[in-house]
């Protein structure tokens, strides 16, 4: 029998009653959790994902200005996070990596922009992209669906979901929660909808965000070279700084890269769908606990039914009593009229 080291234990989810049983990253639940800046070495990486279900951009039309109402996209997962969790639960990006530090340079840059609020002008001026991602901010109790490209007007798009505002701060309680972001196309406009444990709102503020432009399809053969400079002064032009590509430490791979667990937290059952799924769809395939929490409790339902039956009985008795009284009244009125007519006829005959 092999004795597990502290590093081994960090890679295993603890035996607790909450489900599902997923994979933990970045020292989650230990005394030394890492943030996105140190989460690269333990993240899972899947190469050449272009053209597959995680290539979100391929599921929107070539005419990006007029998407069809029948189109959409969804990505979902079981997420485990707490107030220390920080980084990407998942990301689809160009495979631009630092082999020596075991980091993904596009994600390091995007995380820095999201955390600092520096804006898209500090994104790469050419070449590099993050096609879509979910950024977890445990301290701020928020989730951000983000993507970045030098071809986008603002370069970086951040769809922020404030969990406190929508009453879902419990997502950061250290237990497993089902989280999904689904893209709905309505009247040729795209809306991103957050779904938490099968719950969402299509009318309340905070649960959805408008998308001016959907993410791009993965560039299967991007041109990685020394010409990719970064715009450091915010004027929209490449600066005269040093090339961002280091031939000694950096490596690039064509076909796109799916990264899972680039943070200190847990991920299980990451899935993508080439259609806009609703909260009812996630409930239908979710756990029994999800279904129970989104329905009336059994005792409450039985009590409500009994109360309604009692009320119906009272109404029925009231209707019967009222009807009898009305009938008696009509009979009494009819008898009086007949008596009067008979009397008048009798005395008139005398």
């Amino acid at each position: 029998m092999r004795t597990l080291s502290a590093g081994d234990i960090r890679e295993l989810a603890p035996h607790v009653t909450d489900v599902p049983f997923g994979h933990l990253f970045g020292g989650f639940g230990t005394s030394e959790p890492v943030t996105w800046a140190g989460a690269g070495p333990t993240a899972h990486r899947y190469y050449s994902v272009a053209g597959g279900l995680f290539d979100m951009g391929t599921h929107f039309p070539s005419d990006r200005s007029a998407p069809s109402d029948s189109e959409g996209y969804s990505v979902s997962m079981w997420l485990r996070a707490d107030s220390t969790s920080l980084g990407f639960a998942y990301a689809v990006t160009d495979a631009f990596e630092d082999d020596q530090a075991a980091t993904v340079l596009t994600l390091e840059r995007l995380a820095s922009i999201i955390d600092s609020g520096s804006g898209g002008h500090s994104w790469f001026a050419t070449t590099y992209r993050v096609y879509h991602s979910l950024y977890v901010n445990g301290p701020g109790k928020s989730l951000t669906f983000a993507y970045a490209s030098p071809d986008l007007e603002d370069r970086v798009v951040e769809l922020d979901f404030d969990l406190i505002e929508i009453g879902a701060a419990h997502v950061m309680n250290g237990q497993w929660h089902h989280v999904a972001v689904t893209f709905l196309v309505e009247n040729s406009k795209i809306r991103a909808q957050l779904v938490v444990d099968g719950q969402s709102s299509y009318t309340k503020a905070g649960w959805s965000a408008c998308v001016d432009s959907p993410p791009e399809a993965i560039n299967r053969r991007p041109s990685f070279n020394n010409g990719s400079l970064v715009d450091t002064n915010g004027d929209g032009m490449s600066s005269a700084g040093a090339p961002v590509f280091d031939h000694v430490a950096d490596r690039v791979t064509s076909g796109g890269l799916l990264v899972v667990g680039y943070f200190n937290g847990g991920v299980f059952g990451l899935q993508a769908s080439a259609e806009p799924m609703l909260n009812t769809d996630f409930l239908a395939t979710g756990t029994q606990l999800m279904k129970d929490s989104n329905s009336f409790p059994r005792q409450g339902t039985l009590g409500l039914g009994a109360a309604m039956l009692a009320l119906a009985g009272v109404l029925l008795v009231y209707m019967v009593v009222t009807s009898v009284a009305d009938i008696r009244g009509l009979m009494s009125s009819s008898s009086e009229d007949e008596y009067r007519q008979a009397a008048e006829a009798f005395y008139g005959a005398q």
Side-chain angles (χ1 to χ4, degrees), residues 85-152:
S85 299
L86 199 64
F88 296 95
Y90 89 95
V92 177
T93 178
D94 285 327
F96 178 25
E97 303 170 87
D98 183 332
D99 275 347
Q100 294 182 354
T103 56
V104 180
L105 299 180
T106 49
L107 298 186
E108 296 288 320
R109 176 64 55 82
L110 182 55
S112 177
I113 291 173
I114 294 174
D115 280 347
S116 65
S118 58
H121 67 270
S122 57
W123 185 250
F124 301 109
T126 64
T127 304
Y128 304 104
R129 295 168 175 81
V130 173
Y131 297 99
H132 57 103
S133 66
L134 186 67
Y135 187 78
V136 178
N137 184 344
K141 291 186 171 49
S142 67
L143 298 173
T144 299
F145 189 93
Y147 50 100
S149 168
D151 295 334
L152 294 173

Side-chain angles (χ1 to χ4, degrees), residues 23 25 36 43-44 46 75-81 85-92 107 132-137 143-144 179 258-268 270:
H23 193 91
F25 301 88
W36 59 266
H44 291 177
Y46 306 89
V75 60
S76 63
M77 75 200 76
W78 286 92
L79 176 71
R80 189 171 186 178
S85 299
L86 199 64
F88 296 95
Y90 89 95
V92 177
L107 298 186
H132 57 103
S133 66
L134 186 67
Y135 187 78
V136 178
N137 184 344
L143 298 173
T144 299
V179 174
L258 168 62
V259 182
V260 181
Y262 208 94
F263 77 138
N264 58 309
V267 177
F268 173 78
L270 177 66

Side-chain angles (χ1 to χ4, degrees), residues 267-288:
V267 177
F268 173 78
L270 177 66
Q271 294 183 329
S273 174
E275 59 182 348
M277 299 179 67
L278 303 178
N279 62 315
T280 52
D281 298 318
F282 294 115
L283 280 175
T285 58
T287 64
Q288 188 60 46

Side-chain angles (χ1 to χ4, degrees), residues 103 112 154 157 164 169 221 241 270 320 336:
T103 56
S112 177
D154 296 324
V157 175
I164 297 178
R221 296 185 180 278
L270 177 66
V320 170
E336 290 178 359

Side-chain angles (χ1 to χ4, degrees), residues 325-340:
D326 291 341
I327 292 172
R328 287 180 175 176
L330 289 172
M331 292 177 64
S332 176
S333 298
S334 298
S335 299
E336 290 178 359
D337 292 341
E338 292 174 355
Y339 175 79
R340 185 180 303 109

